[in-house]
Amino acid sequence: MPCEKCDNGKYKFGKTGSCTYNTIAECEEANKDYYEKTTSIVELVIDDDSQELAIDAISLVTSPAIEQDFVYFGKEKNNLTFAKVDEEKRMIISPALIPNKQIFRHNPNTDSDYYVYFSPDTVRKASELYLKHNNHHKATYQHQDRVSGVLTVESWIKEGDMDKSKLYGYDLPNGTWFVKMKIENDELWNKIKEGELKGLSIEGYFTDKMEKMSQKAPTNEEILTALNEIIKQNQTK
């Protein structure tokens, strides 16, 4: 159970820790013995056999795994630098995936902790497949219940310093996948305005890159090379 952000903006260690740390770095330093034991870092990739499920839905959550809150259009809170904003837009803008960002995970089957990350290429491919398979209208609440009235109306990859994500206060790496979502669901919109829902987390099917490579069937060229090596070894005996 790593450091996580509290509702008051501070950080705590574990689910039952006190919200006393000002930054996540301060929390991790105070509990570095735990983090030194957590060394496994896994790159996740898209499985070619289930590309349509790469990003099955986007979930509105209280604690986003990528640790980035969204900003939203609304008369109660205007984070934007535009001179005029339509108060009834009911839109949120948020990163969906940040390339190379390590995300904490816990495997209950082995009681082990590890981190996962996505390469820039995987982030881009996931964003493209999300739209290709018409998953832009699929959303969940807290990774549980499917909800209606949530639609992704814009999706883009940050490609430079002039990216429009900076208008919304984000300063994230190139290759970050951003989405703009329209929220017509009154219950969810109220939770966003009240600060209960703070960000987005993806839902999809990915695989461990190293595991995938170890399971990959050899190509014909690889088989021929191996046979040639065996023949050469027999000839020299």
Side-chain angles (χ1 to χ4, degrees), residues 46 51-58 96 122-138 151-157 177-181 203:
I46 295 170
Q51 289 191 359
E52 71 280 5
L53 300 175
I55 303 292
D56 184 49
I58 292 180
T122 299
V123 171
R124 178 177 292 278
K125 187 174 181 180
S127 72
E128 294 170 353
L129 291 172
Y130 171 70
L131 297 178
K132 178 181 178 179
H133 295 287
N134 294 317
N135 291 328
H136 60 286
H137 63 283
K138 296 180 180 179
L151 178 69
T152 298
V153 297
E154 194 171 344
S155 169
W156 77 94
I157 298 290
W177 174 25
F178 285 94
V179 293
K180 179 187 286 187
M181 306 181 80
E203 293 184 2

Side-chain angles (χ1 to χ4, degrees), residues 90-106:
R90 300 206 341 182
M91 302 276 194
I92 59 173
I93 300 94
S94 175
L97 273 180
I98 302 173
N100 298 322
K101 180 174 180 62
Q102 295 180 11
I103 303 170
F104 176 81
R105 287 291 180 264
H106 176 76

Side-chain angles (χ1 to χ4, degrees), residues 65-90:
I66 57 174
E67 299 171 349
Q68 290 286 332
D69 296 352
F70 48 55
V71 297
Y72 65 85
F73 293 102
K75 59 185 178 181
E76 287 82 4
K77 181 179 179 183
N78 180 7
N79 300 83
L80 309 181
T81 56
F82 300 144
K84 249 184 170 180
V85 174
D86 182 350
E87 295 178 349
E88 303 305 321
K89 280 183 180 288
R90 300 206 341 182

Side-chain angles (χ1 to χ4, degrees), residues 35-43 102-105 112-117 208:
Y35 281 92
E36 287 173 355
K37 297 176 183 177
T38 309
T39 57
S40 179
I41 301 174
V42 177
E43 179 182 353
Q102 295 180 11
I103 303 170
F104 176 81
R105 287 291 180 264
S112 60
D113 299 333
Y114 62 103
Y115 287 88
V116 300
Y117 73 96
D208 181 332

Side-chain angles (χ1 to χ4, degrees), residues 13-215:
F13 180 72
K15 298 295 183 184
T16 59
S18 300
C19 301
T20 56
Y21 301 105
N22 293 318
T23 65
I24 191 168
E26 182 182 328
C27 178
E28 290 177 348
E29 176 62 25
N31 299 277
K32 60 183 180 181
D33 289 343
Y34 169 84
Y35 281 92
E36 287 173 355
K37 297 176 183 177
T38 309
T39 57
S40 179
I41 301 174
V42 177
E43 179 182 353
L44 296 182
V45 295
I46 295 170
D47 192 330
D48 293 336
D49 295 330
S50 57
Q51 289 191 359
E52 71 280 5
L53 300 175
I55 303 292
D56 184 49
I58 292 180
S59 188
L60 291 91
V61 296
T62 56
S63 299
I66 57 174
E67 299 171 349
Q68 290 286 332
D69 296 352
F70 48 55
V71 297
Y72 65 85
F73 293 102
K75 59 185 178 181
E76 287 82 4
K77 181 179 179 183
N78 180 7
N79 300 83
L80 309 181
T81 56
F82 300 144
K84 249 184 170 180
V85 174
D86 182 350
E87 295 178 349
E88 303 305 321
K89 280 183 180 288
R90 300 206 341 182
M91 302 276 194
I92 59 173
I93 300 94
S94 175
L97 273 180
I98 302 173
N100 298 322
K101 180 174 180 62
Q102 295 180 11
I103 303 170
F104 176 81
R105 287 291 180 264
H106 176 76
N107 186 337
N109 296 323
T110 59
D111 193 28
S112 60
D113 299 333
Y114 62 103
Y115 287 88
V116 300
Y117 73 96
F118 301 88
S119 72
D121 286 343
T122 299
V123 171
R124 178 177 292 278
K125 187 174 181 180
S127 72
E128 294 170 353
L129 291 172
Y130 171 70
L131 297 178
K132 178 181 178 179
H133 295 287
N134 294 317
N135 291 328
H136 60 286
H137 63 283
K138 296 180 180 179
T140 64
Y141 170 68
Q142 297 283 44
H143 290 296
Q144 296 177 0
D145 302 323
R146 184 81 75 178
V147 293
S148 61
V150 179
L151 178 69
T152 298
V153 297
E154 194 171 344
S155 169
W156 77 94
I157 298 290
K158 180 182 177 182
E159 295 182 338
D161 292 338
M162 300 301 290
D163 188 79
K164 62 184 175 182
S165 60
K166 290 200 170 184
L167 291 171
Y168 308 122
Y170 292 113
D171 186 16
L172 293 173
N174 289 342
T176 297
W177 174 25
F178 285 94
V179 293
K180 179 187 286 187
M181 306 181 80
K182 185 171 181 61
I183 313 296
E184 295 179 331
N185 185 304
D186 292 338
E187 183 179 357
L188 291 178
W189 185 247
N190 287 332
K191 291 181 183 294
I192 290 170
K193 290 195 301 181
E194 293 166 2
E196 179 179 339
L197 293 176
K198 298 180 180 296
L200 304 178
S201 285
I202 64 167
E203 293 184 2
Y205 295 87
F206 298 88
T207 186
D208 181 332
K209 182 178 181 179
M210 295 303 294
E211 182 178 324
K212 181 180 180 182
M213 290 177 66
S214 67
Q215 295 175 349

